[in-house]
Amino acid sequence: AVQVVESGGGSVQAGGSLRLACAASEYTFNGNCMGWFRQAPGKEREEIATMFANTGTTQYADSVKGRFTISQDIAKNTVYLQMNSLKPEDSAMYYCATLITFGSCLGRIDFGDQARFSVWGPGTQVTVSS
């Protein structure tokens, strides 16, 4: 079965950086849609960065634009989320997801609709202290 697993979470001070990784098994990201989401306690899970692997086209939530970067290493079948200038409000459980079953990978209408992703990782915790 297709599985994805996140890694790289941890604790960091405000202004610091972390790089999350999402590795896939029994699956290749190439040609597919990959997304990063996060969920803070008491809040809904939000889509923050997504890439369409075929073209490398990306889309970001306004809350992370200019600070976070999604990228892929095709040889390693891994997707990364580089997070810079971290803020306490970035503290959350971070998830990667792939294999959309409806809608579009990117775009104003579908970005943010987590239901279109069918495979999810267990998540990795990021804590940013002030």
Side-chain angles (χ1 to χ4, degrees):
V2 175
Q3 290 184 327
V4 293
V5 179
E6 307 89 345
S7 62
S11 297
V12 64
Q13 289 192 327
S17 298
L18 282 173
R19 189 178 76 159
L20 306 183
C22 175
S25 61
E26 306 297 327
Y27 182 74
T28 176
F29 287 121
N30 193 24
N32 287 285
C33 182
M34 305 91 72
W36 282 100
F37 293 73
R38 68 184 181 187
Q39 186 170 21
K43 294 188 177 181
E44 293 186 355
R45 187 159 55 184
E46 64 169 330
E47 186 169 357
I48 56 172
T50 298
M51 170 183 280
F52 182 52
N54 262 5
T55 61
T57 307
T58 59
Q59 188 169 356
Y60 298 91
D62 289 343
S63 57
V64 305
K65 199 174 295 182
R67 300 187 298 122
F68 291 11
T69 302
I70 184 173
S71 63
Q72 62 175 329
D73 185 326
I74 296 175
K76 295 183 178 179
N77 204 30
T78 299
V79 176
Y80 300 98
L81 184 69
Q82 178 67 43
M83 305 186 296
N84 298 328
S85 302
L86 283 162
K87 306 174 182 179
E89 51 264 43
D90 293 319
S91 297
M93 185 71 78
Y94 282 71
Y95 303 88
C96 70
T98 191
L99 196 59
I100 62 172
T101 57
F102 66 89
S104 299
C105 179
L106 305 172
R108 180 176 57 85
I109 295 176
D110 289 325
F111 186 86
D113 185 355
Q114 59 180 303
R116 71 194 195 283
F117 287 92
S118 62
V119 176
W120 293 83
T124 186
Q125 179 68 40
V126 171
T127 302
V128 184
S129 58
S130 57

